[in-house]
Amino acid sequence: MHLEVMNPRGEIPPPATLGISPRVSELSEKKIVLVDNGKFGANNFLDALADMLKEKYPKATVVMYPKPAAQTITNLPGWYPTVKQQGDLFIFGVGD
Amino acid sequence: MPGVYFITNEFLEDAKSAARDRGMPGIRVLTLPADKYYLARDSKQELQPLANPSFDRIIDALTRPLTPEEAKPSPLQKQREDSNIRVSGKDFLDAFEKTNELFLAKHWADGLPIVPPAPELVKAMLAGSTRSPQEVIGQVAPKNGTATIEKIAINAVMAGARPEYFPVILAAMEGFTDRQYDLTHMQASTGSFTPVVMVDGPIAQELGFNSGIGMLGHGWRPNTTVGRALRLSLLNIGQTWPQVNDMALTGRLESYTFFTFAEDTARSPWEPYNVSRGFKPGDSTVTVATSVNPVVLGGGAVTPWTGQGVIVSIVARIKSGGVVWPHSQTYILVLHPDCAVDLASRGYTRRSLQEYLYEQTRVPYEKLAGPVFFGHDNETDFIRASIADGRIRSGRAQVFLDALKPGGRVPVVQSHDDFHIVVAGGSPGYDLLFSYPGTNWANQTKRISGATLTSAGR
């Protein structure tokens, strides 16, 4: 006995792949961007990291760059490239 | 720009899935223990014990040279899955059971038994509409699977829907895939949202939708299987699965069938809801909307109520919400027919009731929320940022600017049209308030067309 059935899944065109950016050899004298994703507590975690980064890398610059709330920006995808203009490296968090 | 992402451990699979979906499988993600992070996040001091052990991992993620695969990931291959599958069993019941096991194992089902989508049944479903099986009606988030008429038909068969329901299902899918509808938020958010699916116009009665006692419950095949067809279509075409990329924390209250019901246009004292949204009298439509779970705010058989008392309760409930998000706030108010008739007898039209709710729910400027959220020091800044970016609809920004000062009263919605008032329920019945404090507009009404098996919806 055989049942022939049809596949219910939608086809998904595969996206083009992209590599991630080359790493740096060390963080000293770099401008490190801490991107607060806006969820409650993310700023506290990034503040804690900022203190540690400043202590270990006194010649580095640490900047906070909060992501705007999706409720307040019509073109959020267009905002992401602006992170690159803020420094050399980024740490993004904290997602769920 | 080299970077690293922090998430909690429960979302690692979700993050990997999203990275693959966007063609960047190599992004470096670090995790924090969820069971500790959420309790500690109130202060920097409490988070320090989590930040300390993270530090070396951050340095490693930012300085460790890339592997060849991270630098140049292999091209992602198109999923190769057979369009038709043969399932063998010793008899029909065995093959039926094996089909169900296979579909659930592949994450193609919802956990309840499905009707095996045999080609003959799918063909019969397609005959319920004039539309071509290969027509594409849109992309289904979060993975942007292509929603063809045929794929929706397969899912409708699995759900147990009848072919005459198919045009309703297609119109609802047009709503979900409309680019103005934030389907990703509904499908993936921790918020555990459930769609509301409201059928309006003559097709509701012709198909036998329940709009009376038990309208959100079981027992009426149109309500349950139209909702389930949408459930399965979103699951399979958008390719979501709990704990992978559907992170609704509790699941959804009506996960299998959504909140699917019809307006009781016969007992409503007002014009049909869809006419109030600009459709022609006699049009059949379906509205889809993202919602948190409804609250009951009056009516019922136990304690006395009045229409005026119900709307006072609604105003109090909305004002107790605590946060004004005028950029996106939407309410669906389902009044049971007796309540609507009582309000109409006191002179309320749908429009005047919308205006009453708009005015009465305004929040005094002095009571706007103060806590920081999404990077804003207080709610005034939050609303001003929305105005600056054009998120407040044309012509409405000045209303908010005028209200953002001492003595001002700030609306909780952009306009009275954001109170969607529908009449449905029993006699006696309850009055329900659905709300959506989401990130984007998530409420679409589509005309049902192309029906071949009903008089309405053609």
Side-chain angles (χ1 to χ4, degrees):
Chain A
M1 169 70 201
H2 301 288
L3 268 182
E4 186 180 5
V5 292
M6 298 183 74
N7 188 327
R9 277 205 148 180
E11 283 196 9
I12 298 173
T17 52
L18 284 171
I20 62 173
S21 299
R23 307 290 100 171
V24 294
S25 57
E26 48 103 27
L27 273 60
S28 183
E29 300 186 17
K30 292 290 189 292
K31 192 171 182 182
I32 305 166
V33 185
L34 303 187
V35 185
D36 173 356
N37 77 344
K39 298 224 169 181
F40 285 100
N43 57 328
N44 292 328
F45 182 74
L46 295 178
D47 281 346
L49 291 184
D51 290 348
M52 297 164 75
L53 287 165
K54 287 172 186 170
E55 184 179 340
K56 180 156 184 178
Y57 302 104
K59 291 185 178 178
T61 306
V62 180
V63 296
M64 290 289 184
Y65 191 57
K67 188 184 93 172
Q71 290 88 346
T72 62
I73 186 166
T74 46
N75 182 19
L76 187 55
W79 171 86
Y80 284 100
T82 67
V83 176
K84 192 173 181 178
Q85 298 157 13
Q86 313 306 313
D88 305 307
L89 308 160
F90 74 88
I91 301 170
F92 187 103
V94 176
D96 284 310
Chain B
M1 182 182 194
V4 60
Y5 295 83
F6 266 99
I7 59 170
T8 61
N9 60 308
E10 293 286 351
F11 288 74
L12 183 57
E13 189 58 38
D14 188 24
K16 286 181 176 175
S17 173
R20 283 193 300 271
D21 293 346
R22 285 153 186 77
M24 293 190 72
I27 65 167
R28 291 183 173 176
V29 178
L30 300 177
T31 61
L32 298 171
D35 60 344
K36 295 186 171 56
Y37 173 74
Y38 288 105
L39 282 169
R41 63 181 164 156
D42 274 354
S43 73
K44 182 170 74 173
Q45 289 71 28
E46 288 182 80
L47 282 168
Q48 201 69 53
L50 296 183
N52 289 338
S54 302
F55 196 71
D56 288 344
R57 294 189 297 151
I58 294 171
I59 306 309
D60 174 70
L62 293 172
T63 59
R64 177 168 36 88
L66 303 186
T67 66
E69 184 63 20
E70 286 176 323
K72 190 176 181 185
S74 306
L76 295 172
Q77 301 298 316
K78 188 174 182 180
Q79 290 176 326
R80 295 212 169 274
E81 291 183 312
D82 295 332
S83 58
N84 286 27
I85 303 130
R86 274 166 68 93
V87 182
S88 299
K90 62 179 185 276
D91 54 27
F92 173 78
L93 290 177
D94 189 41
F96 176 89
E97 180 60 22
K98 283 190 166 64
T99 301
N100 268 281
E101 288 173 1
L102 174 72
F103 273 48
L104 191 55
K106 284 180 168 286
H107 296 176
W108 293 356
D110 55 8
L112 291 173
I114 52 107
V115 175
E120 299 86 344
L121 296 177
V122 174
K123 186 178 177 184
M125 184 64 67
L126 289 165
S129 169
T130 57
R131 300 172 74 167
S132 163
Q134 302 315 315
E135 180 188 343
V136 174
I137 67 162
Q139 309 298 318
V140 179
K143 287 180 177 287
N144 293 325
T146 302
T148 63
I149 301 292
E150 182 179 67
K151 287 292 183 186
I152 299 168
I154 295 168
N155 284 281
V157 168
M158 290 166 60
R162 294 179 59 85
E164 53 264 43
Y165 308 161
F166 192 42
V168 181
I169 296 163
L170 292 177
M173 286 299 293
E174 286 178 347
F176 281 127
T177 57
D178 191 298
R179 294 179 72 85
Q180 296 298 310
Y181 192 101
D182 188 354
L183 186 58
T184 300
H185 195 229
M186 195 285 287
Q187 289 260 69
S189 172
T190 56
S192 310
F193 302 115
T194 305
V196 173
V197 181
M198 299 186 295
V199 182
D200 216 345
I203 202 168
Q205 187 173 12
E206 188 174 357
L207 291 176
F209 273 90
N210 182 17
S211 59
I213 289 175
M215 66 179 189
L216 297 180
H218 59 276
W220 276 263
R221 190 168 174 180
N223 298 52
T224 53
T225 62
V226 166
R228 192 181 184 208
L230 299 170
R231 159 76 289 171
L232 291 169
S233 293
L234 295 179
L235 185 160
N236 279 318
I237 302 175
Q239 299 196 10
T240 64
W241 197 252
Q243 300 181 9
V244 178
N245 58 357
D246 172 358
M247 299 306 289
L249 295 181
T250 61
R252 305 163 204 288
L253 198 65
E254 288 278 14
S255 186
Y256 296 98
T257 61
F258 300 158
F259 294 115
T260 303
F261 62 97
E263 184 175 41
D264 189 344
T265 52
R267 299 187 63 203
S268 171
W270 301 313
E271 76 278 18
Y273 166 74
N274 59 5
V275 173
S276 76
R277 297 203 71 180
F279 291 88
K280 295 175 187 169
D283 276 350
S284 291
T285 61
V286 59
T287 298
V288 294
T290 300
S291 167
V292 295
N293 298 322
V295 290
V296 175
L297 289 167
V302 178
T303 54
W305 56 268
T306 64
Q308 188 65 40
V310 167
I311 61 173
V312 167
S313 297
I314 291 164
V315 169
R317 173 74 187 199
I318 291 171
K319 291 181 79 170
S320 70
V323 178
V324 176
W325 283 20
H327 340 79
S328 58
Q329 197 77 270
T330 306
Y331 296 96
I332 298 172
L333 174 58
V334 183
L335 295 174
H336 76 284
D338 297 343
C339 181
V341 168
D342 184 54
L343 288 167
S345 73
R346 295 167 194 275
Y348 282 106
T349 62
R350 177 184 271 111
R351 175 62 99 191
S352 69
L353 184 52
Q354 288 173 313
E355 289 169 349
Y356 173 92
L357 293 170
Y358 175 84
E359 286 300 326
Q360 294 300 315
T361 55
R362 284 181 163 212
V363 176
Y365 169 77
E366 291 77 7
K367 290 193 175 180
L368 289 179
V372 175
F373 61 107
F374 291 113
H376 295 281
D377 292 337
N378 55 56
E379 204 162 23
T380 301
D381 289 348
F382 185 70
I383 296 171
R384 286 189 187 281
S386 304
I387 293 170
D389 193 66
R391 288 299 298 266
I392 304 292
R393 271 175 241 148
S394 175
R396 303 302 301 172
Q398 193 59 46
V399 174
F400 287 90
L401 289 172
D402 290 346
L404 290 174
K405 57 190 176 190
R409 293 171 66 242
V410 183
V412 300
V413 294
Q414 289 193 32
S415 82
H416 54 265
D417 288 329
D418 295 321
F419 288 102
H420 299 262
I421 299 173
V422 182
V423 177
S427 178
Y430 286 122
D431 303 295
L432 304 173
L433 181 69
F434 296 89
S435 61
Y436 178 59
T439 54
N440 277 305
W441 189 246
N443 186 307
Q444 292 287 321
T445 300
K446 299 294 180 183
R447 185 173 172 273
I448 297 164
S449 63
T452 60
L453 302 174
T454 52
S455 299
R458 287 182 173 262

